[in-house]
């Protein structure tokens, strides 16, 4: 009978039940069934969250709380709306502008972690240079449509370090396709050290730059990071 139970559990894809059904203690059949289904569901949820974390490519961050004191947010925008993913439900974009090391990547990663853990959202993190390289490779290998399909399944796309490296014409055009694909369908977080007026240095074409900005700022919030570089301050502390 034990072998048959394991076989049925395997065919029903009840992996926790198959391995642990003898460990459950209960006074009634109903209580036993409830507990064993709860544990199976709990394991499935944990596996789902772990898979979402793995697929997200989010950077590793420390567990220290984010310091909001140097953040300037637009009217009506709150920490809860950002951290708890309200902007994702509304398909809004967040644009993080500020100097190097001011916490833009940290906060975007924190938002991604919350969205996965609390809401089960599909997140993907790229540096802009990394995404463009992936797009160019996919174009060369004929797998661009498949890559676009992966982006379409996301709830939130995080693009880090826009402005650090100028883009070649084809890379800029492919990035524009990604931004257009996400427009009013999913949320994007962009971190950048350049004001909008300087974005032409990235895309190299005034018309393309205007089209990118137009799609990003519609339904978006600009968040300005005014602080000093955290990494610089930490290096000074450790140097003492």
């Amino acid at each position: 009978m034990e072998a048959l139970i394991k076989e049925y559990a395997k065919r029903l894809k009840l992996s926790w039940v198959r391995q642990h059904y003898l460990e459950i203690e209960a006074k009634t059949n109903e209580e036993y069934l409830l507990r064993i289904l709860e544990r199976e569901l709990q394991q499935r949820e944990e596996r789902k969250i772990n898979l979402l974390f793995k697929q997200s490519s989010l950077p590793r961050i420390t567990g220290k709380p984010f310091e909001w004191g140097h953040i300037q947010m637009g009217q009506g925008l709150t920490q809860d709306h950002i951290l708890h993913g309200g902007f994702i439900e509304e398909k809004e974009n967040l644009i993080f502008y500020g100097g190097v090391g001011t916490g833009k990547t940290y906060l975007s990663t924190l938002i991604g972690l919350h969205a996965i853990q609390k809401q089960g959202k599909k997140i993907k993190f790229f540096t802009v240079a990394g995404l463009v390289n992936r797009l160019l490779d996919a174009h060369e290998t004929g797998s661009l449509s498949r890559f676009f399909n992966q982006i379409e399944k996301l709830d939130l796309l995080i693009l880090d370090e826009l402005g650090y490296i100028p883009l070649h014409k084809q890379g800029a055009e492919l990035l524009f396709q990604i931004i257009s694909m996400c427009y009013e369908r999913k949320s994007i977080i962009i971190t950048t050290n350049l004001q909008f007026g300087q974005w032409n240095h990235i895309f190299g074409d005034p018309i393309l730059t205007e089209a990118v900005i137009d799609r990003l700022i519609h339904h978006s919030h600009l968040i300005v990071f005014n602080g000093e570089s955290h990494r610089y301050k930490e290096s000074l502390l450790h140097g003492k």
Side-chain angles (χ1 to χ4, degrees):
M1 182 175 290
E2 182 176 343
L4 200 55
I5 290 173
K6 290 184 175 182
E7 174 62 23
Y8 287 164
K10 181 179 180 181
R11 290 170 62 181
L12 290 168
K13 298 181 179 179
L14 301 173
S15 58
W16 192 92
V17 171
R18 182 163 59 93
Q19 297 175 13
H20 303 283
Y21 73 95
L22 292 174
E23 301 171 13
I24 298 295
E25 295 181 2
K27 295 180 180 179
T28 65
N29 291 338
E30 289 82 0
E31 184 185 357
Y32 176 84
L33 183 60
L34 176 62
R35 289 188 177 183
I36 203 168
L37 290 177
E38 284 177 340
R39 297 297 294 273
E40 180 69 36
L41 183 60
Q42 180 183 0
Q43 191 201 47
R44 289 190 179 191
E45 288 297 317
E46 290 174 355
R47 285 204 307 265
K48 176 186 174 183
I49 295 299
N50 289 335
L51 181 60
L52 288 172
F53 277 133
K54 184 177 180 180
Q55 293 174 340
S56 72
S57 302
L58 285 167
R60 292 181 179 272
I61 60 173
T62 62
K64 64 180 181 181
F66 183 76
E67 297 177 6
W68 293 87
H70 66 288
I71 303 298
Q72 180 183 337
M73 295 187 288
Q75 188 174 4
L77 189 62
T78 65
Q79 294 179 20
D80 282 347
H81 190 69
I82 295 173
L83 275 182
H84 297 161
F87 74 98
I88 301 175
E89 299 299 331
E90 300 293 333
K91 296 179 173 55
E92 298 170 333
N93 301 323
L94 301 180
I95 300 173
F96 293 174
Y97 165 69
V100 175
T102 52
K104 302 184 301 297
T105 302
Y106 191 95
L107 181 56
S108 65
T109 302
L110 200 59
I111 291 168
L113 292 173
H114 275 257
I116 292 172
Q117 200 164 21
K118 305 297 183 183
Q119 299 174 289
K121 297 294 187 183
K122 293 182 179 179
I123 313 296
K124 190 68 176 180
F125 180 101
F126 291 100
T127 63
V128 169
L131 174 59
V132 169
N133 286 335
R134 285 282 300 275
L135 288 167
L136 291 171
D137 288 343
H139 184 267
E140 287 293 322
T141 58
S143 58
L144 199 56
S145 295
R146 188 170 64 202
F147 187 74
F148 283 163
N149 288 336
Q150 294 172 2
I151 299 296
E152 284 184 339
K153 294 176 183 178
L154 299 176
D155 298 299
L156 171 64
L157 175 64
I158 302 175
L159 300 180
D160 195 36
E161 299 182 347
L162 179 72
Y164 288 74
I165 300 174
L167 304 176
H168 295 295
K169 184 176 185 294
Q170 188 178 35
E173 291 172 352
L174 288 170
L175 179 58
F176 172 69
Q177 288 187 53
I178 292 288
I179 292 170
S180 295
M181 183 192 310
C182 295
Y183 178 61
E184 293 190 325
R185 299 176 62 189
K186 56 192 86 271
S187 294
I188 302 177
I189 296 178
I190 295 239
T191 76
T192 182
N193 62 337
L194 296 180
Q195 298 178 5
F196 290 131
Q198 300 173 299
W199 281 24
N200 189 48
H201 299 308
I202 309 167
F203 294 95
D205 182 303
I207 297 175
L208 182 62
T209 302
E210 184 178 351
V212 168
I213 293 173
D214 181 65
R215 282 159 178 76
L216 283 176
I217 65 174
H218 194 210
H219 311 303
S220 74
H221 299 281
L222 176 64
I223 301 172
V224 179
F225 290 65
N226 291 313
E228 299 177 2
S229 170
H230 297 305
R231 289 189 288 270
Y232 178 67
K233 287 191 291 185
E234 286 178 5
S235 69
L236 290 178
L237 289 172
H238 291 312
K240 290 182 179 180

